[in-house]
Amino acid sequence: MKSLLAGLLLVGGICLAGCNDQKKAESAAPAEQLSAEQQQIAKYNTYIDAANGSSSFGAGLADHLKYYQEALQKGQELKHYSVENPYNIKRMRETLDTALAMPTELPEIDKAAKALTAALKEVEPLNTELSNYAQSNGHLADEGKKAREKDPQYVAAMKKVAELEVEFYNGIRQRDEVNTRTAFEQAPKDSAEYFRAGMILYAKQAAGLADDFFQKAGEKQAAQAFADSLNKVNEMAEGWDKKVRESRPEGCTSMMLSVNSVLARGRNAIQHAAKGQYKPQEFSVTDPVATDARSFDQEFNNMINDFNRNRC
């Protein structure tokens, strides 16, 4: 569940709180006209663009192995064959290269990004060759000969990509934690910006505690920590709503709906665990822990997307 949650955070979009209004201007301005902080934000957002624009290479490799490895290794008839979409590799590589060319350093991310783009460049020609082979149903013409010959090399290269992809995402997460806390600590106290940054900070902490809660199947101590974190999110949300209504009487109902949906999913899960629904059940066709985890992850992902759109 931890890897799934991390993937959702990345695929859903993470942005430095407060940077959305500056993003277009920063991306268009010459680097020398930007402050050091603005350059870091621009580079960070380019890394986020790279992460958001790509499907998981690790998940794609897992599917590839699941569907083709046994048939290829045992010389069985190959009814279908596919590899990673060349566009995904090209887009990730080009976006990483764009970020790496920017005149500032993000040490939490740069090292992993350099290694990942190098690994993508290494596998790209082979992936393109095998993609053309797959798209033309070449395996029907040569009875899978090329796939059997070249797939081990492809798998080895993509395993390296998948491992480096995880390191890249970990670097983004580390930088995101710094950005989120900095935005909260630097915001004027008792302002809309303060409560907004607080919502994001504590919601991300709640997401981490949710991971622990679901992994431990609702264990009491994990449930209490999760509940406390949700209450902190709620406190920040109420403060933000009041501040917004001072200048905008109608408030921002769409954003509050997103936050409240996260709170509701989390609190529902805690109640389900308290009622014993997370204990193993005979003849159960569904896993209530997994179901609640997916629901919470989805609502959290939706909330982060709404924050990034900055509609209010």
Side-chain angles (χ1 to χ4, degrees), residues 16 20 22 103 126 145 148 155 197 214 248 284:
L16 174 61
N20 291 309
Q22 307 170 13
L126 177 59
K145 180 181 177 182
R148 276 187 286 275
V155 168
F214 289 122
R248 179 185 171 123
S284 176

Side-chain angles (χ1 to χ4, degrees), residues 48-222:
I48 295 305
D49 185 35
N52 287 344
S54 171
S55 57
S56 168
F57 294 124
L61 176 61
D63 284 343
H64 181 87
L65 294 173
K66 175 182 177 181
Y67 294 117
Y68 309 122
Q69 187 176 47
E70 183 177 1
L72 288 170
Q73 290 180 346
K74 294 183 178 180
Q76 298 171 350
E77 179 186 1
L78 197 61
K79 297 180 179 179
H80 304 283
Y81 185 71
S82 66
V83 292
E84 184 65 52
N85 187 328
Y87 174 79
N88 293 338
I89 290 179
K90 180 176 182 290
R91 187 191 185 284
M92 172 68 94
R93 174 182 56 75
E94 290 180 345
T95 312
L96 289 177
D97 287 344
T98 298
L100 289 166
M102 293 181 175
T104 189
E105 293 185 1
L106 292 177
E108 301 95 335
I109 311 175
D110 288 341
K111 183 179 179 180
K114 288 177 184 177
L116 178 55
T117 195
L120 290 168
K121 289 174 185 175
E122 182 179 334
V123 76
E124 192 168 13
L126 177 59
N127 183 79
T128 299
E129 179 184 353
L130 289 177
S131 178
N132 289 331
Y133 172 78
Q135 290 174 13
S136 64
N137 281 347
H139 60 284
L140 300 181
D142 70 355
E143 297 182 343
K145 180 181 177 182
K146 176 178 281 193
R148 276 187 286 275
E149 289 177 349
K150 298 200 171 186
D151 197 74
Q153 180 185 350
Y154 168 78
V155 168
M158 288 305 297
K159 281 183 178 179
K160 182 178 179 181
V161 167
E163 291 169 359
L164 293 170
E165 179 185 42
V166 171
E167 293 183 17
F168 172 63
Y169 289 165
N170 285 340
I172 287 181
R173 186 165 59 247
Q174 290 172 21
R175 186 69 191 187
D176 177 64
E177 290 172 0
V178 172
N179 288 346
T180 303
R181 182 163 292 281
T182 299
F184 178 61
E185 292 175 348
Q186 292 183 351
K189 297 295 186 291
D190 199 36
S191 65
E193 293 78 12
Y194 172 81
F195 290 114
R196 182 184 186 276
M199 273 194 293
I200 297 172
L201 174 65
Y202 291 117
K204 289 179 178 179
Q205 290 181 0
L209 290 167
D211 181 44
D212 185 57
F213 167 79
F214 289 122
Q215 283 186 355
K216 294 179 178 177
E219 181 268 330
K220 188 174 181 180
Q221 188 173 354

Side-chain angles (χ1 to χ4, degrees), residues 240-241 244-245 248-258 310-312:
W240 181 75
D241 186 50
V244 168
R245 290 181 185 276
R248 179 185 171 123
E250 70 274 20
C252 184
T253 55
S254 61
M255 193 65 246
M256 286 301 297
L257 176 61
S258 291
N310 203 22
R311 291 181 292 182
C312 298

